[in-house]
Amino acid sequence: MTMKITERAIDKLANGMRIYAEAHANFETLRRVDLEEAIDDLDRSFEAELEAFHSLYDVDKAAFDYFEHADTALILLLRNAIHHKDHELFSSWNATMAQDGGPLRFAGAAFLLVSHSVVGDAHVANQLYKAEDFLLRLDPSLGSPALEAKMKPRNRDKLLQQLKSDLGFDQIFAKAGAEHYPSKQVYLNVIPIFVSAICRVFKSLRERGASFNGFDARIYASHFTDALRVDLSALRYKTIRIE
């Protein structure tokens, strides 16, 4: 693939990142008028980011091993799961809370929300999915009908271990178990992982001589190669109890 093709994929991804940021900024205002539209705008724009990331992977995978790193691999796993959608996994927190009469059906339940730490003062959005859903895609011992069947078993095993060790899934579920949170009530914010993946890929692309030519690409190039850093070893926890 020529670098020009890769640079067009960079532009598409950067454009999708801006659109998601706008949807996130508009969410609180729009939800007061039309909650369903606000949730759909946010979720669909995030899914478009995932698709754009996968498009970049398609043209760049010969030069960069996206499955060697836990952050980039998880984002591709999430994209594939949402893209193919032959299961009931990966309903976002907002969509889940809004379904079937709203959050009051969870009255009295406590949820553990988990996020990796973005170093510095950068504002980080929340795009939350059940942490368990990632394991149900990868761990055959769970007997999930949603197991990622298209992935070779050795690749599933490798990614499962990456999630447990490099992204702290073992630590997350150890804390959840010790504090008596059911696994279905543990949600992971995937935005810091997405940020980490973008930082990793953009730095590699810059080192390989890629140009960030579009307006959005130029803005995000310096932001994700110089300003941002995610500490994937540091987890932050928050409890939400539905009253």
Side-chain angles (χ1 to χ4, degrees):
M1 295 290 182
T2 68
M3 189 59 77
K4 282 291 184 184
I5 294 172
T6 302
E7 289 167 359
R8 285 199 294 268
I10 294 170
D11 289 345
K12 177 183 176 182
L13 176 55
N15 182 251
M17 290 159 62
R18 173 181 57 78
I19 292 170
Y20 176 78
E22 291 171 352
H24 180 264
N26 293 333
F27 181 81
E28 285 300 322
T29 300
L30 182 56
R31 70 184 291 270
R32 298 187 186 99
V33 180
D34 190 327
L35 178 60
E36 182 178 0
E37 182 178 344
I39 293 170
D40 283 346
D41 283 359
L42 194 63
D43 285 359
R44 298 298 86 75
S45 61
F46 180 68
E47 290 164 16
E49 279 191 303
L50 295 177
E51 289 296 332
F53 187 86
H54 192 274
S55 294
L56 179 58
Y57 157 76
D58 276 340
V59 300
D60 192 44
K61 60 187 176 184
F64 184 85
D65 189 351
Y66 284 70
F67 283 98
E68 185 61 28
H69 309 281
D71 48 9
T72 49
L74 179 137
I75 295 304
L76 291 173
L77 173 71
L78 179 59
R79 178 269 174 189
N80 290 339
I82 292 176
H83 177 83
H84 295 293
K85 206 58 179 175
D86 53 353
H87 51 79
E88 296 183 356
L89 305 181
F90 297 111
S91 173
S92 72
W93 164 270
N94 288 327
T96 300
M97 289 297 115
Q99 290 167 359
D100 303 325
L104 288 180
R105 73 187 189 281
F106 299 111
F111 291 83
L112 182 64
L113 310 186
V114 188
S115 184
H116 295 84
S117 297
V118 178
V119 178
D121 297 325
H123 173 71
V124 179
N126 285 296
Q127 190 71 27
L128 295 151
Y129 297 95
K130 288 179 186 175
E132 177 187 53
D133 286 359
F134 293 95
L135 302 185
L136 292 172
R137 289 294 278 177
L138 294 172
D139 189 347
S141 72
L142 299 177
S144 170
L147 186 72
E148 174 58 89
K150 294 181 180 179
M151 188 178 291
K152 294 179 180 179
R154 66 175 181 273
N155 293 335
R156 277 203 314 261
D157 292 345
K158 176 183 176 181
L159 182 48
L160 179 61
Q161 292 309 311
Q162 286 175 314
L163 265 59
K164 289 181 175 182
S165 58
D166 298 346
L167 296 181
F169 274 61
D170 274 351
Q171 180 181 338
I172 291 167
F173 283 101
K175 179 180 176 65
E179 299 181 8
H180 308 293
Y181 290 94
S183 59
K184 293 183 181 297
Q185 291 167 211
V186 180
Y187 277 77
L188 175 69
N189 183 16
V190 298
I191 294 299
I193 301 172
F194 183 82
V195 169
S196 178
I198 295 296
C199 289
R200 186 184 304 281
V201 174
F202 276 17
K203 286 176 183 176
S204 173
L205 286 163
R206 185 175 66 176
E207 289 168 0
R208 287 182 274 134
S211 296
F212 295 76
N213 293 319
F215 177 79
D216 292 328
R218 288 195 301 272
I219 294 295
Y220 284 115
S222 60
H223 195 53
F224 282 86
T225 56
D226 300 321
L228 282 176
R229 186 171 69 84
V230 179
D231 185 353
L232 295 175
S233 67
L235 294 166
R236 296 178 179 177
Y237 298 95
K238 178 181 178 181
T239 296
I240 290 185
R241 184 175 295 279
I242 308 298
E243 305 290 352

